[in-house]
Amino acid sequence: MLEKRMNDMFYGAFLHDIGKALQRAEGRMVKHQKIGADFLEKYTDNREITHSLRYHHKNYMSSSLPANSLSHITYIADNIASGTDRRKEMEDGKWGFYAKVPLQDIFNRYGKHASKRYIAPGELQPDNVDKVFPSEFRHDYTSGEYGRGVSYFSTGLRAVEFTEEYIPSVINLVEATMSFMPSSTCMEEVSDISLYDHMKLTAAYACAILQYADEKGIDDYKTEFVDRGRSFYKKQAFMMVGFDFTGVQDFIYRITSRGAHKQLRSRAFYMEMMSRWFVDSLVRNLGLTEASVIYADTEHGYIITGNTSKNRDVVRRTQREFNEFLIENFGNMLYVSTGSALFSASQVMEENSSDEYTRIFREIDELLERNSRERYQADDILKLNRLGKKTGRECAVCHSVRELIDGENKCSLCFKLENFSRDIQKQQFFVVNDDESGLPLCNGRYLNTASEDQIRSGEVQGSIYAKNRLDTGHMQETHIWVGDYSWTNDYNSYAERNWTKENNGGTAVGIKRLGALMIDVDDLYAGFLAGFKDQGEGRYTTMSRYATLSRRIQAFFKLYLNSFAEDKRISIIYSEGDDVFAIGAWDDILEFVQDIHECFRKWTDGKMTFSAGVALVSAKTPVNIIARRTRNLLKRAKLCGRDRIALFSEDNVFAFDEYVNDITFGKLNVIRNFFENEDEYGKAFAYKLLDLIRSRDEVDRISFARIVYYLTRLENAADDKENFRDFRKSMIDWFNDGREIRKAEMALMLYIYEIRED
C-alpha cells in the first residue's frame, strides 16, 4: 500500500503545472500556480497536494509553509525536470512567451538534421491516427482548443478521489487531455515536450527525492532542496532501474500446428500482461507509481527510483520472486533480469553531456547482461532438475510434460490459453485478481477478462486494465496498448483465398500460401542513446526526450498499428515497442508492410527505418517453423544494411525504396500491363521467362542471346506487336543489368503468385 505522503507527493508533483492549460484556455494574466491551485481546490481539500501547485516556484513560496512541506520537493523536482527537457531553440532566439505555440515533433531535434514539424492541437484519440501524424503545417493552439481539453480533464476529475486507487486513472486522464499541449511556450525554447510528459517526469523525480530524503533522515525540505538546491543537484540521489525479459519469443512460438491458431495471439498477449504485471509489481513494491516508469515494453523497460538501500533490496526481492514463479511454471524458458545505475540531477540537466546518459544506460545494460548470464543459483538448478524429471505424455500443443487435462491431451496452461484466445480481441477489459480459472501471474494472481457492464456494476475485484482506451475509475490501471487487429482467428483460411472466388467464376485466384511478416526497427538502441547527440552539441539529449521518443515509437507499433492493418486479411500476432509479427494473406501482408513503411517514414520524418522479413509458407507449416523462417529472413535483411526487406528467400534482399518503387510500382506494373493486353501469352510464357532469368550467367553469355532470340521469335505471333515490342525492350534492358534483372525476377514471381489457380 502506498504511504500517504508518497500518495500526496505524486498528486502534487504530477498535477503541479495544470494551471498552464487553464491559463492558456482562459487567457488570464494570472500566474499558473495560482490558477492551478484554485482549480484543484474545487476537487480536494488536501492542502499538501494543492500547495505543490501553488508554491512550486521559489519566488512565490509562502513564508508560512512548514519546512517539511512537500511543495519544496515539487519545486526542486520541477527544476530538475525543466532543466532536463527545456533547451534553447537558438542562441539569439526571440524572448517572451506565445501561448498559442503548438507542440513540436520530437524528431525535429533527432538525427543530424533539424526539422520543423508540429503536432496538431487536440486530445489523444486511440482510434484516430490521422490527427497525430506530425506535419510541417503549423496549426497554432487556440484558447478554445485548450478549453476543450480542460473541459474533458475537469469532467474526468469529478469521478476521481485523490487516493492510491485512482492514481492510474489520473495518469490516463492527463495523458488523454494534455499529451499534445506543450509544456513550455517560451519562444526561446524548443517546445517538443508535452505538458503530460513534463508533469510525469516531475512526479518521477519528486517521488524518488522523497525516498532519498526519508532514508537520509532529511525532514527540512526547505533548507535541503530550496536554499541548498544547487548542492543537492550534485548528489547521486537517483537510481535508474532497468529490466529485461528473455525467452519471450520462444514462449510465444512453442506450439505445433495443432491448435496454433487458437492460442498464438493469446500467448503473445499473455506475455505482454506478464511483463506488465512484473513492472506494476515492482513499482508497487518500491512504493512508487506508474509515473516513475520512463519506458516499458514486453521485453525491456526503465524506472526512476530514489537511491536507497531499501530500493535495491526491493528490486532484488521482486526479481527473485518473479523468477521463482517463472521457473515453477515455465522451467528455464523465461527469465527476467534487472540492473541499475546511480545518477545525480546535474548529470541529466542542461549542463550535462550526452555521454552522461550513455554511461547510465550502458552501466544498466552491463548489469542486465551479467545478471542474465549468471541467472540461476544452486536451489534454482535443483528446482529445474526436478522439473526435468517429470515423465508422462506430452502436451499436444507445447510438448511440455506436465499434468494434462482429462480428455483434452493438453496441459492446463495450453488449455487456458486456447480458451482465453476467444476473449482477447472482443474484450476490452482485463482484470488481475485471485480467480484461479485465469492465466497464472506471480504471487497468487491470475489474468482474467471482464465486461464493461461487470466493471460499472462493481462486480469486478482486482486490478483492471483497459485495452486501447483511456478509462478512469476505481482500481483502473493505466492503459495497455495492444496491436491486436485480426481479420479472422482461423489463420489457415488466409491461404484458401475464398474471397477471390466471387470475381473468378468460383475459382480461388492467387497462390494458396500464407504470408508471414516480421519487422524490427534498425539500430533502435543506438538511436536511443545517440539520436539527439548530433544537433546543438548534444544539448537535446535529455531524459524527457528519451521518454517522449519511446512513447511515440510505442504508440506507432502498438496502438496505431491496428489502424494501418484495417481491412487487410491479416492477423497481428504481437507488436512490441519496436517489432512486429503478423500472419495473413501473402498479398495483403506485402501491402501492409508497404503501408506501415510509408507511415513510419512519415511518423519519424525519415530519421528512423525498419527492416522486414516476409516468408511464404504452406498453411500446414507449424507456427514455430513459420516464425523461425521469418526471423531468419529478417536477420538476413538487417545484415544487408538498414531499411531492407527480405522477400521469401535470403537471396532476395532489397532496399525498401527498390522494392516499392522499382518492383511493386515499377516492373510489376509493366508485367501486369503486358499480360492484361496480350491474350496469346499467359502463364506458360511467364514461367518460361522466369526460367530464362534464372539461367542467366554473367560469365557464359549464351543466356543473353537465348532470351533475345526467344523474345524476338515470339514477337510475330503477338496480338499487339507494339505492346510486345515495348515489353521485349524492357525485359532485355533489365536482363543486361544484374541488379535490375533480380528485381524483374521478383516482380515476375509476384505476378505468377497473383494469377495462380491451385
Side-chain angles (χ1 to χ4, degrees), residues 125-170:
Q125 299 177 24
D127 58 349
N128 189 350
V129 66
D130 293 333
K131 289 202 67 174
V132 295
F133 271 103
S135 169
E136 292 182 358
F137 173 74
R138 173 172 167 156
H139 179 166
D140 281 2
Y141 240 115
T142 66
S143 58
E145 285 162 336
Y146 270 113
R148 186 181 63 225
V150 168
S151 176
Y152 290 155
F153 175 71
S154 303
T155 300
L157 212 57
R158 294 192 193 107
V160 164
E161 297 174 18
F162 289 81
T163 62
E164 178 183 358
E165 292 80 9
Y166 286 91
I167 285 176
S169 291
V170 173

Side-chain angles (χ1 to χ4, degrees), residues 197-216:
D197 284 309
H198 169 68
M199 294 195 297
K200 184 172 181 283
L201 188 61
T202 300
Y205 285 136
C207 294
I209 292 169
L210 180 59
Q211 288 186 325
Y212 176 82
D214 285 348
E215 177 152 300
K216 296 296 183 183

Side-chain angles (χ1 to χ4, degrees), residues 10 167-168 171 196 200 276 279-280 283 288-294 296 477-479:
F10 162 78
I167 285 176
I171 294 176
Y196 163 73
K200 184 172 181 283
R276 178 58 181 270
V279 173
D280 288 353
V283 167
L288 295 170
T289 72
E290 180 72 20
S292 297
V293 180
I294 300 303
E477 298 294 327
T478 45
H479 58 74

Side-chain angles (χ1 to χ4, degrees), residues 511-523:
I511 189 169
K512 290 187 175 181
R513 298 289 188 276
L514 290 176
L517 166 69
M518 278 192 182
I519 288 171
D520 185 63
V521 174
D522 296 319
D523 302 324

Side-chain angles (χ1 to χ4, degrees), residues 384-403:
L384 288 167
N385 286 338
R386 285 195 293 271
L387 289 172
K389 291 179 180 178
K390 289 183 178 180
T391 59
R393 290 185 301 149
E394 290 184 344
C395 170
V397 178
C398 71
H399 294 298
S400 65
V401 179
R402 61 178 74 194
E403 292 184 18

Side-chain angles (χ1 to χ4, degrees), residues 502-564:
E502 184 176 344
N503 296 322
N504 196 48
T507 302
V509 177
I511 189 169
K512 290 187 175 181
R513 298 289 188 276
L514 290 176
L517 166 69
M518 278 192 182
I519 288 171
D520 185 63
V521 174
D522 296 319
D523 302 324
L524 179 62
Y525 183 67
F528 183 75
L529 290 182
F532 297 102
K533 190 173 184 177
D534 291 324
Q535 296 185 44
E537 298 179 344
R539 70 173 180 265
Y540 302 109
T541 303
T542 67
M543 194 72 72
S544 50
R545 284 181 177 80
Y546 283 153
T548 302
L549 178 73
S550 300
R551 193 163 65 87
R552 287 286 290 174
I553 297 299
Q554 197 169 50
F556 182 92
F557 281 110
K558 299 187 79 167
L559 175 60
Y560 295 118
L561 197 70
N562 294 314
S563 298
F564 308 141

